[in-house]
Amino acid sequence: MAAARAAVRPALRLLLSHGLVPRYAPPCPPQPARAGSVNIRSPCGGVRSGSHVRSWESGAGVVGEDAEEPEEEEEEEELLSREPLLPAAAQRVCVLHPDVRGRAGRKAHDTEYQVAEAAALVRALHGWSVVRTLVVPTGVPDSKFVFGKGNFQELTEKIKGSVDITCVFLNVERMTALTKKTLQTAWGVHVLDRFTVVLHIFRCNARTKEARLQLALAEIPLLRSTLSSCSAQPDQQGRGSRYIMGSGESYTELCQRALKEKEAKIRRALERLQEKRSVLRKQRLRREFPIVSVVGYTNCDVTAHAGLLPSCMPILYMDTIGFLSQLPHSLIQSFSTTLEDVVHSDVILHVRDMSHPNTEQQKASVLSTLQGLQLRPALLNSMLEVHNKVDLVPGYRPPGHHVLAVSALLGHGLDKLKATLEESVLQATGRRVLTLCLRLGGPQLCWLYKEAKVQQVQELPNTDMAHVTVIISQATYGRFRKLFPE
């Protein structure tokens, strides 16, 4: 294993030394609470936030990533040591949107929505701002210059003539390395595409090892593309096609082999983690922990954290990676893999930012993604819709009884949210609230404390009996009756 790593390192160093991977590094500061997230505080203590990663330790074990072999862990950490994708300093960005003429299925408001989302992506980067927005028609979006000759010349004059612009965000899914180089040379500033920006945002917010490895895998085609664009350029001594290091391989062949080996290692590491995820899921089912999946347009990562409902019943919250419209194609696999836990959840909580001008389009994007997962009809139909930030919407009124209106900032509506969530969990999991008459200090009460959730014990006067209120699943109640028949 050590020999294999040693064989790969020289080529990776060459990628860095020849500028194939940028060395400038933007900070990835702790992200503020996202617009679609909501903190749920339990009366029994603890906070569950959609923006923080926590492992959960319970009496039955740890719900989280299992301990790994030291060698495996070292290899995975090495795979995750990547160079940043964007400039280090904060940027003043021009959002440039190619408005493709004659595109099938195009609607009048599509362009406005796409431009607004592109601007929101830029503002999600720490310290970055949008100083100008340009919508330019084009009939040749796949050409080297993206725009026609006249529009390209006009754009060049505007961008080079504006001292406020330090970076251009070209709102296309992917640029070829040749297009990127051509535009940056013409405009004299960094030019970024949607894939690079979204990948970097996901990178900054990814906390779990699986999410980070999925993003590292999605980066491989980007590195290959950059390598291919540089492969025809000789090095400083003009020896670009010579064999190097006595290996019988050219520089390009060595780098391509290094990338191929890195991709294979990432895939193996992901397979190991997915096997562990499957084991953990079985453990959760065996322990009968209810699972609530939190989805929303602005959630950022796959995380698992403990929570307590008003009855002090423990549940497991599963956050999901960010929902976006027109997710770059190369990120779809890494995105959909992280939604596996939604399929196995008991309740889905869809949190929306009602202050966002495109909240309805965001809802449609989330629902479209969930429907593509082929969820159980009962799970999809019972989904709870939470309207967050209603304090920022003048004259807001809930559209129906199925919607829960909250303000996470002010704490409005959270008690009702928790109560409704508890009702949904009880119904979805087949749990019941029962009051049983039991002998104090008897084996029945001890068993219930261990296997169910005892809410209240009310002693009966002048007796050794008590009314015991418990939350218990149908299966557990069946075991109880089998052990302690009346």
Side-chain angles (χ1 to χ4, degrees):
M1 183 66 71
R5 284 199 295 272
V8 175
R9 285 194 186 104
L12 295 180
R13 292 194 191 100
L14 285 170
L15 284 171
L16 296 173
S17 64
H18 284 70
L20 297 186
V21 181
R23 284 191 176 274
Y24 35 73
C28 292
Q31 297 295 308
R34 292 288 174 155
S37 65
V38 54
N39 291 346
I40 302 176
R41 294 181 177 271
S42 165
C44 301
V47 179
R48 181 255 153 225
S49 168
S51 303
H52 297 83
V53 180
R54 299 173 186 159
S55 63
W56 179 23
E57 295 190 13
S58 68
V62 177
V63 177
E65 292 180 357
D66 285 353
E68 300 180 50
E69 293 295 330
E71 190 170 320
E72 289 181 359
E73 188 170 359
E74 180 185 348
E75 178 181 296
E76 289 170 7
E77 288 302 323
E78 184 178 309
L79 293 171
L80 292 172
S81 59
R82 296 160 289 162
E83 292 293 318
L85 298 168
L86 304 184
Q91 300 291 315
R92 301 184 300 276
V93 182
C94 171
V95 174
L96 179 56
H97 179 76
D99 191 19
V100 183
R101 294 188 293 262
R103 186 172 53 198
R106 176 183 173 190
K107 297 179 181 178
H109 64 274
D110 282 353
T111 297
E112 181 181 351
Y113 175 52
Q114 291 165 7
V115 170
E117 185 174 79
L121 289 173
V122 170
R123 295 188 185 102
L125 299 168
H126 183 66
W128 289 40
S129 60
V130 176
V131 296
R132 192 162 187 180
T133 300
L134 297 173
V135 178
V136 180
T138 179
V140 284
D142 297 326
S143 70
K144 181 172 70 172
F145 294 98
V146 182
F147 305 95
K149 186 175 181 179
N151 283 338
F152 181 77
Q153 183 61 37
E154 185 178 346
L155 277 172
T156 301
E157 293 173 0
K158 286 181 180 179
I159 293 170
K160 295 188 74 171
S162 177
V163 295
D164 288 338
I165 297 174
T166 62
C167 183
V168 172
F169 176 21
L170 184 63
N171 196 23
V172 297
E173 181 175 320
R174 285 286 296 274
M175 288 183 292
T176 65
L178 179 59
T179 295
K180 180 182 178 73
K181 181 180 178 181
T182 301
L183 297 182
Q184 289 187 158
T185 301
W187 296 341
V189 294
H190 291 287
V191 181
L192 310 172
D193 56 23
R194 188 179 176 89
F195 174 84
T196 307
V197 171
V198 171
L199 181 61
H200 183 78
I201 291 173
F202 280 6
R203 256 190 179 196
C204 285
N205 288 284
R207 303 291 185 265
T208 63
K209 188 173 291 185
E210 183 177 10
R212 292 162 63 204
L213 283 169
Q214 287 283 1
L215 294 172
L217 184 63
E219 254 177 73
I220 296 294
L222 181 64
L223 295 175
R224 281 204 180 102
S225 173
T226 306
L227 178 61
S228 298
S229 70
C230 299
S231 61
Q233 301 176 13
D235 60 20
Q236 294 178 355
Q237 286 76 36
R239 299 194 300 268
S241 60
R242 300 278 185 89
Y243 296 139
I244 60 175
M245 300 166 60
S247 65
E249 294 180 300
S250 69
Y251 163 75
T252 302
E253 290 170 340
L254 186 63
C255 291
Q256 291 285 13
R257 180 167 62 84
L259 284 176
K260 186 176 180 180
E261 291 176 1
K262 181 178 181 180
E263 180 179 14
K265 286 185 176 183
I266 293 174
R267 292 189 184 278
R268 287 196 298 270
L270 281 169
E271 287 174 3
R272 290 196 298 267
L273 289 176
Q274 287 164 2
E275 288 173 2
K276 292 173 184 175
R277 178 197 286 267
S278 178
V279 171
L280 290 173
R281 187 180 296 125
K282 291 176 182 177
Q283 290 176 350
R284 293 196 297 263
L285 290 174
R286 188 163 59 249
R287 295 168 188 163
E288 298 184 339
F289 289 135
I291 299 173
V292 176
S293 287
V294 183
V295 303
Y297 199 80
T298 49
N299 287 353
C300 59
D301 190 25
V302 181
T303 62
H305 9 223
L308 292 173
L309 294 176
S311 63
C312 292
M313 177 172 64
I315 63 172
L316 189 64
Y317 290 99
M318 300 295 295
D319 276 351
T320 56
I321 201 168
F323 285 70
L324 285 174
S325 67
Q326 297 180 327
L327 187 73
H329 182 76
S330 302
L331 288 174
I332 289 177
Q333 179 59 39
S334 12
F335 178 82
S336 57
T337 301
T338 62
L339 295 178
E340 265 183 34
D341 283 306
V342 177
V343 179
H344 300 278
S345 59
D346 298 299
V347 176
I348 298 176
L349 203 63
H350 177 197
V351 184
R352 295 177 56 190
D353 175 6
M354 299 310 294
S355 68
H356 197 284
N358 297 311
T359 183
E360 291 301 325
Q361 292 95 326
Q362 291 179 351
K363 175 183 176 179
S365 177
V366 171
L367 293 181
S368 174
T369 303
L370 292 177
Q371 289 164 356
L373 295 176
Q374 298 181 340
L375 302 175
R376 306 186 308 275
L379 177 60
L380 195 58
N381 295 336
S382 64
M383 180 169 58
L384 297 178
E385 184 173 320
V386 181
H387 288 189
N388 192 20
K389 296 191 178 182
V390 296
D391 55 304
L392 300 180
V393 183
Y396 170 85
R397 291 183 180 178
H401 68 278
H402 63 287
V403 169
L404 298 161
V406 305
S407 168
L409 179 65
L410 303 178
H412 295 165
L414 295 185
D415 288 338
K416 183 178 179 181
L417 169 59
K418 289 183 286 187
T420 305
L421 179 59
E422 179 167 86
E423 291 176 8
S424 297
V425 168
L426 289 173
Q427 183 175 356
T429 60
R431 281 170 167 77
R432 303 161 61 187
V433 180
L434 297 178
T435 300
L436 306 172
C437 188
L438 302 174
R439 188 178 302 278
L440 287 170
Q444 294 94 330
L445 185 55
C446 292
W447 192 91
L448 287 173
Y449 267 112
K450 182 179 179 181
E451 300 294 336
K453 192 66 185 176
V454 177
Q455 286 188 299
Q456 185 181 31
V457 177
Q458 185 176 5
E459 297 183 19
L460 299 179
N462 304 320
T463 71
D464 61 351
M465 305 294 288
H467 285 153
V468 180
T469 303
V470 296
I471 295 179
I472 190 168
S473 70
Q474 189 64 40
T476 304
Y477 185 61
R479 295 202 307 272
F480 175 78
R481 282 302 173 206
K482 186 175 181 180
L483 286 171
F484 308 104
E486 295 180 347

